[in-house]
Amino acid sequence: MQTFVNVFLGFFICESLGAAPIPDTIIYDSEFYDIPLEELPDPFMYDENKQFDQVEADIATALPSIIQERYSAPLTEETEDEASTPKLIDGSSAQGSGVLGAQTQEGLPTCLLCTCLGTTVYCDDRELDAVPPLPKKTTHFYSRYNRIRKISRNDFANLNNLKRIDLTANFISEIHKDAFQRLPQLQELVLCDNRIRQLPELPSTLTFLDVSKNRLGRKGIRNEAFKDLNELQHLYITDNNLDHIPLPLPESLQALHLQNNNIQEMHEDTFCKMRDFSYVRGALEDIRLDGNPINLSKTPYAYMCLPRLPVGNLI
C-alpha cells in the first residue's frame, strides 16, 4: 500500500511540472547591438540635427514657474555714463569739483593728491607748500608734516562744516587774522610745532586749541584773546617763550598747559577770586607750569579755589 501511494504522488508531481508555462529565454546578445543608430526602431529614434540650445530650452520649460520668472526677469543695465562714474562710499556721484576738490598747485584734485575718507581729508606728509582746495563738506582736515608757510584769509572760506584742523609740523609763520574766524563749527585747532609769532582771531566755538612749540613770545597773544571762548576746554601753549599767563581764562577750561616757557610770576587772582572766598573753579583740574622759572609756593592763595594744585616748581 505504501508503495502504491508513493507511485501516485510521483506521477502527480510530474503532471504538474509539465503543465507549468515555460518563460521565454532572455537573450542579452541582442540583434540591435550591431544596427546603426539611424536604423533603430522608433523608441530609439535620435535627431542628431537638433541643436543644443533647443535642448536647453526644452529643459528650462520644465523648471517651476517661480524659478522661470527669476531667470526670465530682464536685467537692468547701467548706462555708459553711470558705469563710468565713480561712486563714493555713501553712493553719491564723484562728478564735479565738489567731491574730489579743485585743482591743487600740483595739477591734481585734492582727493587724488590726498586721501579723502567720507568727510575727512588727510594730506599728511605730501610736501605741500599751501593749503589745498577742500571739498565743501569737509569736517576734518589733516595736513601735518608739510611745508606750508602761510595761512591766507580764504584758505578755509565757505567750509561751514569744518570741525577740526590739524596743521602740525609745518613752516607756518603767518596767519591772516580772519583765517579761522568765519568757521561756524570749528571745535579743534592744532597748530603746534610751527613758527607762528602772532595768534589770529579765534572762533567762539573752539573747545580745543594747541599752539605749542611756536614763537609767540611776549606779544604773540593779544589781550583777552581767550575771554569769549566760552566752550574752550583744553588750552596748550607750551614751548613759546611766554613771560605771563594769558588772562582772563574762560570758566569752561579744564586743562591749561604752559610748560617750558619764561613765566616768572603769578598773581593771587590769576585763577581764583580773592574777594569771593566761596568761589570754586571745579572744572580746571590740570594746570602745568613745570619748566618755568616760577616758585609756586610764593602764591599759596592763588590755588585755593582749584580742585588740584598746579604742577611746577615749589622751591
Side-chain angles (χ1 to χ4, degrees), residues 17-34:
L17 293 175
I22 300 175
D24 295 336
T25 303
I26 300 175
I27 302 175
Y28 291 96
D29 188 13
S30 174
E31 59 181 349
F32 298 117
Y33 282 1
D34 296 330

Side-chain angles (χ1 to χ4, degrees), residues 160-193:
N160 296 328
N161 298 315
L162 196 56
K163 296 180 179 179
R164 180 181 176 91
I165 298 174
D166 191 342
L167 297 169
T168 298
N170 280 271
F171 301 148
I172 301 172
S173 60
E174 181 181 352
I175 302 177
H176 191 278
K177 65 175 184 177
D178 295 329
F180 308 116
Q181 184 68 23
R182 298 176 296 168
L183 299 175
Q185 296 193 47
L186 187 62
Q187 298 176 358
E188 301 178 8
L189 179 59
V190 182
L191 300 170
C192 60
D193 199 5

Side-chain angles (χ1 to χ4, degrees), residues 27-148:
I27 302 175
Y28 291 96
D29 188 13
S30 174
E31 59 181 349
F32 298 117
Y33 282 1
D34 296 330
I35 299 177
L37 289 176
E38 59 272 12
E39 298 180 5
L40 288 175
D42 290 341
F44 303 97
M45 186 64 66
Y46 175 76
D47 186 1
E48 63 181 1
N49 295 323
K50 190 172 185 179
Q51 299 298 323
F52 183 71
D53 56 351
Q54 294 177 344
V55 176
E56 286 186 335
D58 294 338
I59 296 175
T61 57
L63 292 174
S65 59
I66 296 178
I67 300 179
Q68 291 184 42
E69 293 177 359
R70 180 178 301 176
Y71 280 92
S72 61
L75 297 176
T76 58
E77 297 182 357
E78 292 184 341
T79 63
E80 183 177 354
D81 292 339
E82 292 177 348
S84 61
T85 301
K87 304 292 183 181
L88 297 181
I89 296 176
D90 60 0
S92 61
S93 173
Q95 290 180 338
S97 61
V99 176
L100 296 178
Q103 295 287 330
T104 64
Q105 293 181 356
E106 287 74 14
L108 294 173
T110 298
C111 288
L112 292 181
L113 179 64
C114 303
T115 300
C116 296
L117 297 177
T119 57
T120 301
V121 180
Y122 296 94
C123 294
D124 295 339
D125 198 14
R126 300 289 181 175
E127 299 185 357
L128 300 177
D129 56 9
V131 175
L134 299 175
K136 290 185 177 181
K137 295 184 179 181
T138 302
T139 58
H140 296 72
F141 174 56
Y142 298 86
S143 185
R144 299 166 290 195
Y145 311 104
N146 284 296
R147 301 175 181 179
I148 300 173

